[in-house]
Amino acid sequence: MASGLTTADSTAKLLSDLKIDAGDWPPTLVKNLHLLSPDQIQSGKVLLEMGQSHLFQHWAEPGVDDDQKKAFFTQLSKLNSSYPGGLASYIKTARELLADSKAGKNPYDGFTPSVPIGEVLSLGDDNFIKFEDVGVKEAKNAAFVLVAGGLGERLGYNGIKVALPAETTTGTCFLQLYIESVLALQEASSRLTQGTCQKEIPFVIMTSDDTHTCTLDLLESNSYFGMKASQVKLLKQEKVACLDDNDARLALDPHNKYKIQTKPHGHGDVHSLLYSSGLLNVWHDSRLRWVIFFQDTNGLLFKAIPASLGVSATKEYHVNSLAVPRKAKEAIGGIAKLTHSDGRSMVINVEYNQLDPLLRATGHPDGDVNCETGYSPFPGNINQLILELDPYIKELTKTGGAVKDFVNPKYKDASKTSFKSSTRLECMMQDYPKTLPPSARVGFTVIDTWLAYAPVKNNSEAANIPKQNPYHSATSGEMAIYRANSLILKKAGVQVEDPVQQVFNNQEVEVWPRVTWKPKWGITFAEIQSKVGGGCFISQKSTMALKGRHIFLENLTLDGTLIINSSDDAKVKVGGSIKNKGWLIERIDYKDITFPEELRIRGFKIEKKEQLEKTYGNFCY
């Protein structure tokens, strides 16, 4: 404070210097302005201009809670910088969306749905193999982005979801599976393109306050699962401000009057984070062509990525949504082309509860129904995207990294004048195409569900899910991996015994042989097929784990458990008859806390009775 000036004089001079007339400002804020920097006062001015004066009504006199007042503006700065266009843009968008919500406005009013252009693939046929080959060659020109901002609370698991075992035969967690899959693609791409130097594929993980530290700890304590630390970048998403009413007044934290209440914004933040991080331009300068987005607990995903990337490259799609066949009215969004009466069009995911009424309102009286294939003509969206980098950069430059927000307030009553609890704007990764011009090449790739999609997101009470819907639990997710691997081997010529039906955590699932392999053993169907020969047979009770690159199965009869560990230089041929007591699946009660959470949420554990395990070093055969 200048000598001889009172606090009031100092405040008046500061406001004069900033050309601010504080006549209508809350007196509680004006009294405390001397605590703030000029930038903070400007932020306060913006808030007041946006009708947020209530945030300061309860401020104490100067000298009381001063540190908390300064902390309020620190939080304000973070909220302002983490949303494209800042808080003013956030509040303006919120008011528009809340007005539409109150009026019951249909976001698809004027649009007519039709089936967009896409590619439908079937494992092992010539088309599939051709696209896989193209996709592996393109992989060295891709960057992978994992959206992993969530905890496993919904699963009944208190850790981060990417730390969960994808399957318990080997205990490989999701993050390890993903990194080893990227490394396998990296090696295969270099080999197929005969690259003189192997390009390192960038791997980005979007974290949150909930997951950032644990994700970093998981990586560091496991030496990044074999990937160079320099290849991995963590981008942490911030939360957004909560809204108290239809006027988009920001909500104060119920436990702290100097703090704005916040909630997660959604996985659509990944686009603004990539844009603001500068990584997209780094990738452009490195001559990368693709960005592949995926979510945190789908153990089958990388079985679909090579062929899907091949489709993107061959069809020159700017946006390629990975999809699975979808039954009509199934609780999964459908990918549709929407054409407006004014000529605008877009290819996007339409949520299942919106697709049926939209079809009925536009000349399809039966709504969402199956076609002659037995499935809906609108494929099921699984939230995995392949974007071409250059058009992606151009689009995000226009939007500042933002994707279309939506709001979903829970109203107290039919008047829609007040909320049951505060709401906030949300955004979804798959809504990126909503802002694209009609000239954008947006398509999809459909791959069988059993090969591409087994998310782990529901808890042990998954049996309470409607009968027609999949469980999507840790139980079904693990069994889906064994099923996919068994069916892939069957397609490659191995005789695999049929599964048996068993019930775990009240969920009836197919139990196939527990077959697993490291991604480097076979990242494509053609590669797996080349490593299987003669008349191989695997019984239903068998377990097989292949942990090496050059392991060949020839005239193998397996009735028990076989574990093969081999170095990258070793070549191992496995054949003959192997029979032992094997590893048994034993049912456990998910309420029994003597078992760790990762087993209880599955409802079973593996009892290791007997196995043949062999380890081979360099140049063994």
Side-chain angles (χ1 to χ4, degrees):
M1 189 188 309
S3 177
L5 290 181
T6 64
T7 299
D9 292 334
S10 175
T11 298
K13 183 177 186 309
L14 186 57
L15 290 171
S16 174
D17 291 344
L18 294 171
K19 297 182 173 57
I20 291 175
D21 178 4
D24 296 327
W25 284 29
T28 49
L29 174 60
V30 174
K31 289 177 184 177
N32 285 281
L33 283 181
H34 64 283
L35 298 171
L36 308 179
S37 70
D39 284 346
Q40 289 173 330
I41 294 173
Q42 288 287 8
S43 295
K45 178 173 181 276
V46 171
L47 271 187
L48 295 173
E49 287 171 348
M50 298 302 291
Q52 305 295 327
S53 62
H54 66 284
L55 296 173
F56 305 101
Q57 297 294 350
H58 305 292
W59 274 35
E61 295 290 315
V64 179
D65 300 335
D66 287 355
D67 287 346
Q68 291 188 66
K69 296 166 190 170
K70 292 175 183 176
F72 171 87
F73 277 92
T74 300
Q75 183 197 24
L76 197 63
S77 176
K78 183 181 280 191
L79 290 171
N80 202 48
S81 63
S82 61
Y83 185 84
L87 261 179
S89 176
Y90 181 83
I91 294 165
K92 179 174 179 291
T93 302
R95 283 186 181 142
E96 293 168 358
L97 291 174
L98 286 165
D100 288 346
S101 176
K102 184 178 180 181
K105 184 176 178 182
N106 180 357
Y108 299 127
D109 193 32
F111 285 98
T112 301
S114 60
V115 182
I117 296 170
E119 191 74 32
V120 180
L121 301 182
S122 180
L123 175 80
D125 67 16
D126 291 344
N127 210 31
F128 187 92
I129 291 170
K130 176 192 73 175
F131 282 125
E132 269 201 328
D133 183 62
V134 174
V136 171
K137 289 173 180 172
E138 283 290 328
K140 70 179 189 305
N141 300 319
F144 286 81
V145 181
L146 168 61
V147 176
L151 292 168
E153 292 167 322
R154 184 170 155 194
L155 286 162
Y157 178 67
N158 285 311
I160 54 173
K161 288 195 283 185
V162 291
L164 262 176
E167 41 79 12
T168 51
T169 293
T170 64
T172 301
C173 72
F174 281 104
L175 187 55
Q176 179 179 357
L177 176 64
Y178 295 151
I179 287 179
E180 290 181 349
S181 297
V182 171
L183 290 174
L185 273 173
Q186 178 177 288
E187 188 277 331
S189 188
S190 178
R191 176 164 34 88
L192 282 182
T193 55
Q194 298 173 335
T196 51
C197 63
Q198 183 167 298
K199 284 173 78 170
E200 294 175 358
I201 294 176
F203 185 63
V204 172
I205 306 172
M206 184 178 83
T207 61
S208 66
D209 283 335
D210 293 330
T211 66
H212 186 85
T213 300
C214 291
T215 303
L216 187 58
D217 288 347
L218 181 63
L219 287 165
E220 291 180 342
S221 61
N222 289 281
S223 302
Y224 286 76
F225 297 107
M227 184 172 272
K228 291 182 180 177
S230 58
Q231 281 178 255
V232 184
K233 294 280 187 293
L234 270 59
L235 300 178
K236 185 163 75 75
Q237 69 176 139
E238 302 296 342
K239 294 177 180 177
V240 292
C242 291
L243 308 161
D244 253 346
D245 55 30
N246 284 324
D247 291 327
R249 295 191 343 147
L250 301 183
L252 283 169
D253 189 309
H255 308 293
N256 185 343
K257 64 183 179 182
Y258 298 104
K259 188 176 181 182
I260 295 170
Q261 186 183 14
T262 59
K263 290 181 181 177
H265 188 215
H267 44 59
D269 274 348
V270 70
H271 301 297
S272 59
L273 282 170
L274 284 172
Y275 176 73
S276 62
S277 72
L279 280 174
L280 298 177
N281 290 325
V282 171
W283 295 344
H284 176 269
D285 293 343
S286 301
R287 305 186 73 174
L288 296 188
R289 187 180 173 193
W290 308 103
V291 187
I292 301 173
F293 296 85
F294 61 107
Q295 290 185 277
D296 46 18
T297 53
N298 179 6
L300 301 181
L301 176 67
F302 276 85
K303 299 182 189 304
I305 278 179
S308 302
L309 181 54
V311 170
S312 280
T314 304
K315 304 285 186 179
E316 298 185 327
Y317 285 155
H318 293 166
V319 178
N320 184 5
S321 293
L322 276 63
V324 295
R326 174 185 167 276
K327 289 285 188 180
K329 300 181 181 64
E330 185 180 344
I332 179 174
I335 296 171
K337 180 176 182 179
L338 301 183
T339 304
H340 198 271
S341 53
D342 63 11
R344 287 179 292 140
S345 67
M346 55 185 175
V347 177
I348 60 161
N349 169 67
V350 179
E351 292 302 327
Y352 72 95
N353 58 344
Q354 296 173 311
L355 183 57
D356 185 74
L358 179 59
L359 285 163
R360 291 179 187 275
T362 53
H364 303 274
D366 295 329
D368 183 19
V369 293
N370 294 326
C371 63
E372 66 279 359
T373 64
Y375 290 94
S376 164
F378 299 94
N381 168 56
I382 61 172
N383 283 0
Q384 325 290 341
L385 298 173
I386 301 176
L387 305 185
E388 187 169 8
L389 179 60
D390 283 1
Y392 181 49
I393 291 174
K394 287 175 186 170
E395 179 64 19
L396 293 193
T397 302
K398 285 192 298 187
T399 64
V403 297
K404 288 284 188 181
D405 281 307
F406 66 95
V407 70
N408 186 26
K410 302 295 188 287
Y411 296 107
K412 281 185 177 177
D413 53 45
S415 70
K416 295 186 176 182
T417 53
S418 58
F419 306 153
K420 289 180 180 178
S421 61
S422 61
T423 190
R424 85 286 197 184
L425 297 190
E426 299 178 69
C427 64
M428 296 191 292
M429 180 176 74
Q430 66 270 29
D431 280 351
Y432 162 74
K434 282 188 174 180
T435 57
L436 295 178
S439 59
R441 293 188 292 276
V442 182
F444 61 80
T445 302
V446 175
I447 294 181
D448 285 328
T449 306
W450 66 263
L451 183 66
Y453 189 53
V456 175
K457 55 187 180 181
N458 293 325
N459 63 25
S460 302
E461 300 296 318
N464 296 329
I465 290 172
K467 187 72 175 174
Q468 69 273 20
N469 291 345
Y471 297 126
H472 289 169
S473 65
T475 314
S476 62
E478 176 160 356
M479 293 304 170
I481 290 173
Y482 302 141
R483 179 190 188 207
N485 289 343
S486 295
L487 290 174
I488 290 168
L489 288 183
K490 280 187 78 166
K491 189 73 175 177
V494 177
Q495 186 182 348
V496 180
E497 204 165 41
D498 288 342
V500 298
Q501 298 281 353
Q502 289 187 254
V503 176
F504 306 103
N505 284 349
N506 297 319
Q507 301 165 55
E508 186 175 10
V509 291
E510 286 184 350
V511 181
W512 289 78
R514 274 68 67 206
V515 175
T516 68
W517 55 74
K518 289 280 189 185
K520 64 184 175 184
W521 183 73
I523 198 70
T524 66
F525 176 74
E527 188 176 15
I528 292 165
Q529 195 173 35
S530 72
K531 293 177 179 176
V532 175
C536 294
F537 169 83
I538 300 174
S539 73
Q540 185 277 329
K541 76 166 202 178
S542 292
T543 298
M544 182 173 70
L546 304 177
K547 305 177 184 180
R549 177 167 285 132
H550 302 297
I551 302 170
F552 299 88
L553 308 181
E554 193 166 323
N555 296 313
L556 169 68
T557 297
L558 177 62
D559 186 28
T561 294
L562 173 67
I563 313 292
I564 301 290
N565 308 291
S566 66
S567 66
D568 286 352
D569 291 326
K571 290 188 176 180
V572 182
K573 186 185 291 183
V574 182
S577 179
I578 298 171
K579 184 177 178 65
N580 55 52
K581 293 178 183 176
W583 293 359
L584 307 180
I585 294 180
E586 292 194 355
R587 190 177 290 107
I588 63 174
D589 186 343
Y590 73 90
K591 295 177 182 175
D592 187 345
I593 60 172
T594 62
F595 294 104
E597 286 177 326
E598 60 264 29
L599 296 183
R600 286 179 10 230
I601 62 176
R602 295 163 205 273
F604 63 83
K605 69 182 182 77
I606 294 176
E607 184 68 26
K608 298 180 180 181
K609 295 287 189 184
E610 190 179 12
Q611 69 277 332
L612 175 65
E613 181 165 6
K614 294 284 189 179
T615 300
Y616 298 93
N618 293 352
F619 307 111
C620 295
Y621 199 87

